[in-house]
Amino acid sequence: MKLSAKKGGDFQPHPETDNLVKAVIVDRTPLKKVQSEFGEREVFRFVYETEVLQDSGDRWHIWSRPYTPSLNPKANLRKDLKKILGRDLTAAEEDEFDVDGLVGHPVKLMVGHEEGKDDKTYAVITAIAPDKDKNPLKPSGKYIRVQDREEKSGATTGEQSSYRKAPKAEEGDGREDWQKCKVHVGKHAGVDLGDLDEDAVNSLIEKWLPKAKADPKPKADDKRLMAALEAVQAVLASLADPAADDAEEDY
């Protein structure tokens, strides 16, 4: 995949680690459509195989947080690529970067545990760093990439979407106030803020919000939209945190 600038039944989470452990990327999962507060989006994950052993002697696996296929400097993928590679992308890589080329790439990880909303314990990656040791971890060969597996009815891949799109705005439907705010500017005028996709919301935050704040006498509609966008910024900040509402299930 080249880019340009269920949770299942009972499972045991990857054990917590006190320090960084050796790991290697063994998969980039296929793009999957999920619903979010900002509409439908496509995401994928990296799957890491670590040096930590299960009782059976097999290595543990852990999934990354979900990534949208974007190399934007503010995108979670771009931020984590810097950690994986130990550097930012070059100009040539910004023009075209093949994430599948990272399969087999060694890294170091730190793993922690979090309690999910379902009261289950999930493993989360709390730190990523490049592995510059002379003997990095190599894939064991036991993991089969999701794209190479035979499809099975009801099979899960160990991934879990992080948030859901809010329903259409109606009286008493429980949506947040910012989601019900009507956009009155630009090409999305008349649409509820909660029904816009993430790129459209970010565009309002980056291009319209600063100008609106600089207006000494904003109109009532401007004030409402400014307050709503500031609320969205808080939501986006929580989603950018690897540990926020983003539990990973282990293979």
Side-chain angles (χ1 to χ4, degrees):
M1 181 173 64
K2 295 182 179 180
L3 310 178
S4 179
K6 287 176 187 185
K7 198 163 55 181
D10 293 335
F11 66 95
Q12 292 294 320
H14 188 296
E16 291 185 290
T17 63
D18 295 327
N19 300 294
L20 291 170
V21 297
K22 289 180 178 292
V24 60
I25 297 174
V26 292
D27 200 2
R28 186 275 301 169
T29 63
L31 284 171
K32 178 180 179 181
K33 291 183 179 180
V34 299
Q35 294 293 330
S36 77
E37 293 175 0
F38 301 101
E40 188 176 72
R41 61 176 187 161
E42 288 191 313
V43 300
F44 70 92
R45 296 176 187 255
F46 289 129
V47 182
Y48 296 90
E49 185 174 84
T50 76
E51 64 179 331
V52 182
L53 299 179
Q54 303 180 46
D55 293 339
S56 64
D58 294 329
R59 295 176 182 170
W60 282 97
H61 296 88
I62 185 169
W63 270 249
S64 73
R65 57 179 167 177
Y67 301 115
T68 54
S70 170
L71 296 180
N72 186 291
K74 294 184 179 180
N76 287 332
L77 175 61
R78 181 67 172 269
K79 294 175 183 178
D80 282 356
L81 285 177
K82 291 175 68 174
K83 299 174 185 177
I84 291 169
L85 300 173
R87 60 173 177 80
D88 201 356
L89 299 181
T90 64
E93 288 172 330
E94 284 186 316
D95 289 336
E96 184 175 89
F97 187 83
D98 188 356
V99 292
D100 283 340
L102 290 174
V103 174
H105 187 85
V107 295
K108 290 186 177 180
L109 301 176
M110 185 175 292
V111 180
H113 280 178
E114 283 189 352
E115 294 297 321
K117 295 178 180 179
D118 54 4
D119 295 327
K120 289 186 178 180
T121 299
Y122 293 88
V124 294
I125 297 171
T126 59
I128 308 174
D131 188 350
K132 299 181 179 180
D133 291 351
K134 293 182 179 180
N135 297 305
L137 190 69
K138 296 181 180 180
S140 66
K142 294 184 177 181
Y143 177 89
I144 300 175
R145 293 192 63 178
V146 174
Q147 66 182 27
D148 298 327
R149 301 176 190 175
E150 293 183 6
E151 292 187 6
K152 296 180 180 179
S153 177
T156 63
T157 61
E159 55 185 298
Q160 178 180 354
S161 59
S162 58
Y163 59 108
R164 300 184 300 275
K165 179 181 178 181
K168 293 292 184 181
E170 297 177 1
E171 287 297 325
D173 68 351
R175 297 185 85 180
E176 299 291 338
D177 289 340
W178 69 263
Q179 293 172 314
K180 300 176 185 179
C181 181
K182 291 286 185 184
V183 177
H184 65 286
V185 295
K187 62 182 180 180
H188 298 296
V191 179
D192 288 343
L193 188 60
D195 290 330
L196 297 186
D197 61 33
E198 192 168 347
D199 287 340
V201 174
N202 276 324
S203 180
L204 285 170
I205 291 174
E206 295 173 5
K207 298 177 182 179
W208 181 83
L209 186 57
K211 295 179 182 179
K213 286 184 174 181
D215 187 345
K217 296 181 179 180
K219 298 178 180 178
D221 285 343
D222 290 341
K223 290 180 180 180
R224 282 192 288 270
L225 185 56
M226 282 192 287
L229 289 173
E230 288 173 346
V232 177
Q233 283 182 304
V235 174
L236 292 175
S238 69
L239 292 175
D241 182 351
D245 280 342
D246 191 18
E248 282 84 6
E249 184 171 344
D250 300 294
Y251 178 75

